[in-house]
Amino acid sequence: MTQPARTFRLFDTMSRQVVDFAPADGQVVRFYSCGPTVYNPAHLGNFRTFLFNDLLRRSVQLRGWSVFQVQNLTDVDDKIIKRADEQGKTIREVTEPVSEVFFADRDYLRIQPAESYPKATDYIPQMIALVERLIARGVAYVADDKSVYFAIDRFEGYGRLSRLDRREVRAGARVSQDEYSKENAQDFALWKSAKPEDERVEAAWDSPWGLGRPGWHLECSAMAIDLIGETLDLHTGGIDLVFPHHEDEIAQSEAATGQPFARCWCHGAFLLTDGAKMAKRLGNTATVKGLREGGFSAAALRHFVFNTHYRKELNLSDEALDHSSEAVRRIGDFAERLEGAKAGTSELAVAANEGMKAFEAALFDDLNAPEAMAALFTFLKSANRELDRGGDYVEGLKAARATFARMMGVLDLVPDRTVEDAELVAYVEERLAARKVARGARNFAESDRIRDELVARGVQIEDTAQGTKWKVG
Ligand code: AMP
Ligand code: ZN
């Protein structure tokens, strides 16, 4: 008997609708995700978007398709050049260490690696070739200063993704002083003629138009076409990239190839930290480093991110992360229990099958991770109840293990106790030292505040004659 086709639905920003999605060849989902600009370590906002890509990848795999994902590293742009020039470095000296931090943070957060991480500076010839194609097609022009611009008036579909009409695009365009040679204020740079600082930091390349460097939008079009092809199954990024970045990627790519650039566009909503309510322990930095120093686990951050639908805004707070730490602790306990169990009941098998169905239905309906998480916890509750009852049905236990493994294959929420315990110990010891200092200075308000902070994190402390003792739970 053939299985009924399982639909996989995604919200497509182009049509502003949830649509049925399948890869063009029925097997491999080929997608491009805009990656980090590597001049500062990526913050947790960036990682919310990268975790959304991870959820997408893993859900696609759960559906039975393979993935081929390309994620670029933007290693040449205004901010990088400015930073390099200030520090007397080349752009490469700025971007290489930051790229290393990105990969380490990615691994820490258990984000599955993409199949390819092209760097913009490795694709200069492809970018130049794309600009030449656009000039040959009459949609790009060389300005007096030897920069090359895309003439948006000569591309019929401009504004389709962002749904801006020409007047709005015009009203939003800003003309900086060095862009006076554009035909229209809203035209965007494909190639920028080199300035002295570009040459100083080794961000200038030879081209048919003289020394220069690529525009930001150009890199994604050139690398996506080179590594995936003229039409991608999917293109993803944060919501802020819809305009102008993705609008401009579409214009450049489609004007050059005459083919639709992406069959579906997916954008993730922002992570917010609102002023006074900003996470206390995370401080202003909100990086993976801050997260680790605050004693929060990777599993807890994944839970926190997936607990809100990717198209809804999400507020970062200590309270929410504490809640997630508690949730993943329960998941970790369950994982241990499942591993140690010898058998189950027939009802355990039923709970496993129902749990899996609900979990898949949620994820395949526009990646509804909060609902998938609810299915996980419903399963945990029934499974714990059945394990309490005992039973000798080995198949029941096998089914439960299989369901749990498949669920974790997507969400990946089991805390790594050795790594995470070590981080928790470091965090608690740092806080207890700060509390001792506060008490020594008779600042009891501060020492009470630290105690409350630890209690919120599930850490109980007790002051004894031998010093302060602590335990979790
Ligand atoms: P950037 O390094 O600025 O090029 O950004 C890398 C990715 O992070 C892009 O897809 C952005 O849309 C995304 N991004 C930037 N800020 C946030 C945020 N606060 N929340 C979610 N995604 C973000
Ligand atoms: Zn991009």
Side-chain angles (χ1 to χ4, degrees), residues 56 69 82 93 102 104 118 147 165 178 184-185 211 226 234-235 261 263 285 292 308 320 329 333 346 378 410 425:
L56 175 61
Q69 180 190 5
K82 187 158 175 275
E93 285 166 340
F102 168 70
S147 292
D165 72 19
D178 57 339
N184 279 312
L211 269 187
D226 191 78
L234 272 173
H235 195 312
F261 183 44
R263 297 171 54 242
T285 47
R292 298 176 76 159
T308 294
R329 204 165 17 243
D333 290 345
S346 59
T378 303
V410 179
V425 169

Side-chain angles (χ1 to χ4, degrees), residues 32-86:
Y32 186 93
S33 310
C34 291
T37 305
V38 279
Y39 85 108
N40 251 354
H43 52 68
L44 293 184
N46 303 132
F47 277 109
R48 182 188 184 195
T49 294
F50 305 148
L51 281 164
F52 147 61
N53 292 330
D54 187 52
L55 178 70
L56 175 61
R57 270 185 75 93
R58 292 175 184 242
S59 300
V60 157
Q61 288 165 2
L62 184 70
R63 172 61 184 73
W65 295 313
S66 315
V67 284
F68 182 77
Q69 180 190 5
V70 176
Q71 180 167 47
N72 65 300
L73 299 183
T74 298
D75 64 348
V76 50
D77 93 325
D78 293 349
K79 285 178 288 199
I80 297 169
I81 291 167
K82 187 158 175 275
R83 171 76 46 92
D85 205 29
E86 280 164 5

Side-chain angles (χ1 to χ4, degrees), residues 98-354:
V98 179
S99 305
E100 274 169 34
V101 173
F102 168 70
F103 290 123
D105 288 351
R106 175 203 66 186
D107 292 345
Y108 179 72
L109 295 180
R110 309 177 182 180
I111 293 172
Q112 279 188 352
E115 279 60 33
S116 175
Y117 288 97
K119 293 189 290 185
T121 54
D122 286 339
Y123 283 77
I124 303 291
Q126 289 86 337
M127 295 187 214
I128 291 174
L130 190 58
V131 177
E132 285 181 313
R133 258 167 111 176
L134 292 168
I135 293 175
R137 292 213 166 203
V139 289
Y141 59 90
V142 186
D144 296 341
D145 69 344
K146 301 291 176 210
S147 292
V148 186
Y149 293 100
F150 187 97
I152 67 160
D153 279 341
R154 291 184 229 154
F155 178 68
E156 192 52 44
Y158 197 81
R160 226 169 56 224
L161 182 72
S162 48
R163 303 211 169 166
L164 291 176
D165 72 19
R166 293 287 157 91
R167 274 165 305 146
E168 286 170 305
V169 170
R170 252 183 210 125
R174 298 270 178 283
V175 196
S176 78
Q177 280 185 335
D178 57 339
E179 290 187 340
Y180 61 89
S181 56
K182 289 198 271 188
E183 285 175 10
N184 279 312
Q186 70 275 23
D187 291 349
F188 62 90
L190 296 165
W191 186 261
K192 301 178 176 183
S193 61
K195 295 188 192 141
E197 60 267 32
D198 298 344
E199 291 189 55
R200 273 200 301 272
V201 300
E202 296 182 13
W205 290 264
D206 258 333
S207 80
W209 319 286
L211 269 187
R213 63 182 169 102
W216 170 39
H217 316 304
L218 184 69
E219 66 173 90
C220 288
S221 292
M223 296 192 288
I225 293 171
D226 191 78
L227 290 162
I228 299 181
E230 293 184 348
T231 301
L232 323 171
D233 285 317
L234 272 173
H235 195 312
T236 69
I239 192 74
D240 57 323
L241 299 188
V242 172
F243 184 84
H245 186 54
H246 288 164
E247 196 69 61
D248 292 351
E249 280 189 36
I250 292 173
Q252 299 160 155
S253 309
E254 299 192 358
T257 67
Q259 300 298 320
F261 183 44
R263 297 171 54 242
C264 188
W265 287 87
C266 295
H267 292 97
F270 258 38
L271 177 72
L272 309 175
T273 43
D274 49 4
K277 273 187 71 192
M278 187 174 297
K280 294 182 288 288
R281 298 214 293 282
L282 292 169
N284 291 334
T285 47
T287 55
V288 172
K289 186 167 173 279
L291 185 83
R292 298 176 76 159
E293 285 169 357
F296 295 111
S297 68
L301 186 79
R302 293 180 69 90
H303 178 279
F304 164 69
V305 167
F306 295 154
N307 214 13
T308 294
H309 192 270
Y310 76 90
R311 287 195 285 119
K312 285 206 180 114
E313 285 183 345
L314 170 61
N315 226 328
L316 184 65
S317 70
D318 279 3
E319 291 70 26
L321 283 173
D322 282 333
H323 165 78
S324 291
S325 299
E326 177 52 34
V328 298
R329 204 165 17 243
R330 279 165 57 203
I331 295 172
D333 290 345
F334 180 74
E336 279 178 10
R337 185 168 194 197
L338 212 50
E339 210 174 285
K342 299 274 176 287
T345 60
S346 59
E347 285 83 357
L348 182 57
V350 173
N353 292 337
E354 281 175 358

